[in-house]
Amino acid sequence: MEKDFSVQQSLEVIESMINQAKNKFNNDSPLYLLWGWIVLICSVGNYLLYKFQLVEKPHLIWLLLFVALIVQIIYLIKQHKKEKVKTYIDEILGYIWTSFGITMFLISFVVGQSSGNWINFYPTLLILYGIPTFLSGAVMRFLPLKIGGICCWALAITTLFISKNYYLLIIALAVIIAWIIPGYLMKSFFKKQSI
Amino acid sequence: MFKDLDPILHSQLRLAVMSLLISVKEAEFTFIREKTKATAGNLSVQIQKLKDAGYIEVNKQFKDNYPLTTCSITKKGIDAFEKYVKALQSYLNTDKK
């Protein structure tokens, strides 16, 4: 059989195998949904708690992010055991989100230590949200995430024209557009692929 | 006719393995078997040949008490693959002439 293996057949084998692995990446939709929903709950929660003066320190609701972090770590460990292949796309995405995570951690630390005044920082936060979201969309060639990233930047500009009291709601809107909607679209994309 | 084609790569299954590995960072044995539709026995033999040629790296470890084999392409493997594809192209060009 191998003697008859022609140049044409060689090319067919190469093409079909490369197509099998091309543009392949892991289904990260659970992570987009996890962070999307948690940030949505925290931002809307913080807004409502503050508006109706329900508690003394409404911003403490953001501690829920630590719960999300623990859930994410458990999820990633489980996922790592399941994954059979690691593509370059997965590796790049990992680096993008790790650097974003480190940036966010350092920023919360610095802002907390210096002024503790988060409200002035929300527009910058939106600009930062846009970076990993847009990059992930570009690397995966997944349009909803690219649009999500651009919307984060657009929403950062809108903060110039509205009252600071509504910044938290802008953050909520940003995570719906940038993470929650793309998260569900990605989930259905993978569901269709597996059929 | 095929005297310039690397004999290690000019075999259906070995070429399939190399084409898969050139597109990813690393892949488990089960993934390669799934995609190439080869039998485990035959695949093991061909992977060993690629490893002996220094074209791929094979990493054996245990995951949840089960043996786990992951493969990745080496620099030497990438070079050989590129050379092979160029040789294929030159054959196609000669055919056209």
Side-chain angles (χ1 to χ4, degrees), chain A:
Chain A
M1 180 188 121
E2 302 220 331
K3 274 182 187 167
D4 299 322
F5 188 48
S6 72
V7 169
Q8 201 53 47
Q9 281 171 315
S10 283
L11 289 172
E12 279 164 19
V13 167
I14 294 172
E15 194 190 355
S16 92
M17 286 300 121
I18 286 180
N19 276 335
Q20 296 261 13
K22 191 174 71 176
N23 292 334
K24 197 176 155 47
F25 50 87
N26 285 324
N27 179 5
D28 285 334
S29 63
L31 292 177
Y32 287 99
L33 293 173
L34 168 72
W35 285 99
W37 278 108
I38 281 278
V39 176
L40 181 66
I41 291 167
C42 291
S43 50
V44 174
N46 190 354
Y47 175 79
L48 294 175
L49 292 174
Y50 177 76
K51 188 173 165 68
F52 298 108
Q53 305 282 322
L54 296 173
V55 287
E56 205 178 315
K57 291 178 176 170
H59 57 271
L60 287 183
I61 194 172
W62 290 95
L63 290 175
L64 274 176
L65 292 184
F66 285 103
V67 179
L69 189 65
I70 293 165
V71 174
Q72 163 160 16
I73 291 168
I74 296 168
Y75 172 81
L76 286 178
I77 292 170
K78 279 191 177 170
Q79 193 66 16
H80 182 68
K81 283 184 182 171
K82 269 197 249 166
E83 76 185 20
K84 286 181 179 174
V85 60
K86 188 167 189 186
T87 63
Y88 291 107
I89 294 182
D90 291 328
E91 198 187 23
I92 295 167
L93 290 173
Y95 282 129
I96 291 174
W97 287 98
T98 307
S99 50
F100 175 69
I102 293 170
T103 308
M104 293 310 286
F105 174 77
L106 291 176
I107 283 174
S108 17
F109 186 71
V110 172
V111 172
Q113 287 292 311
S114 56
S115 62
N117 187 359
W118 275 96
I119 206 140
N120 290 326
F121 195 72
Y122 288 145
T124 317
L125 215 62
L126 284 168
I127 297 170
L128 290 175
Y129 277 171
I131 301 173
T133 313
F134 183 81
L135 280 178
S136 301
V139 172
M140 290 190 259
R141 294 185 192 172
F142 190 64
L143 189 62
L145 274 178
K146 268 193 191 171
I147 296 173
I150 294 168
C151 287
C152 286
W153 294 328
L155 286 170
I157 297 170
T158 61
T159 56
L160 295 172
F161 308 104
I162 58 165
S163 155
K164 282 182 183 177
N165 294 335
Y166 299 112
Y167 279 7
L168 280 163
L169 294 180
I170 297 287
I171 299 260
L173 185 61
V175 291
I176 291 174
I177 300 170
W179 295 348
I180 296 179
I181 294 173
Y184 282 114
L185 290 173
M186 197 188 291
K187 196 176 162 187
S188 74
F189 169 79
F190 274 94
K191 212 173 172 182
K192 272 185 210 154
Q193 261 199 346
S194 64
I195 294 169

Side-chain angles (χ1 to χ4, degrees), chain B residues 76-95:
Chain B
K76 192 179 173 191
I78 294 171
D79 291 343
F81 188 83
E82 282 173 355
K83 214 174 137 194
Y84 178 82
V85 171
K86 274 193 186 128
L88 284 184
Q89 282 169 342
S90 69
Y91 279 116
L92 288 176
N93 289 340
T94 340
D95 283 353

Side-chain angles (χ1 to χ4, degrees), chain B residues 2-87:
Chain B
F2 298 134
K3 63 178 190 305
D4 290 337
L5 288 177
D6 185 343
I8 297 169
L9 292 181
H10 198 64
S11 126
Q12 194 153 359
L13 185 50
R14 287 196 295 270
L15 183 62
V17 173
M18 289 291 283
S19 306
L20 265 184
L21 291 180
I22 205 153
S23 335
V24 301
K25 188 163 187 278
E26 56 182 29
E28 277 182 21
F29 183 84
T30 45
F31 175 83
I32 302 173
R33 202 182 64 194
E34 212 175 273
K35 298 293 176 193
T36 56
K37 298 188 177 76
T39 61
N42 191 13
L43 186 59
S44 294
V45 174
Q46 305 311 329
I47 281 182
Q48 189 57 44
K49 281 185 186 169
L50 289 170
K51 189 191 165 195
D52 291 343
Y55 290 179
I56 64 169
E57 236 169 59
V58 179
N59 191 0
K60 286 186 183 179
Q61 54 189 36
F62 280 88
K63 189 158 85 175
D64 297 336
N65 291 328
Y66 285 97
L68 172 78
T69 309
T70 41
C71 305
S72 58
I73 199 160
T74 60
K75 175 82 181 57
K76 192 179 173 191
I78 294 171
D79 291 343
F81 188 83
E82 282 173 355
K83 214 174 137 194
Y84 178 82
V85 171
K86 274 193 186 128

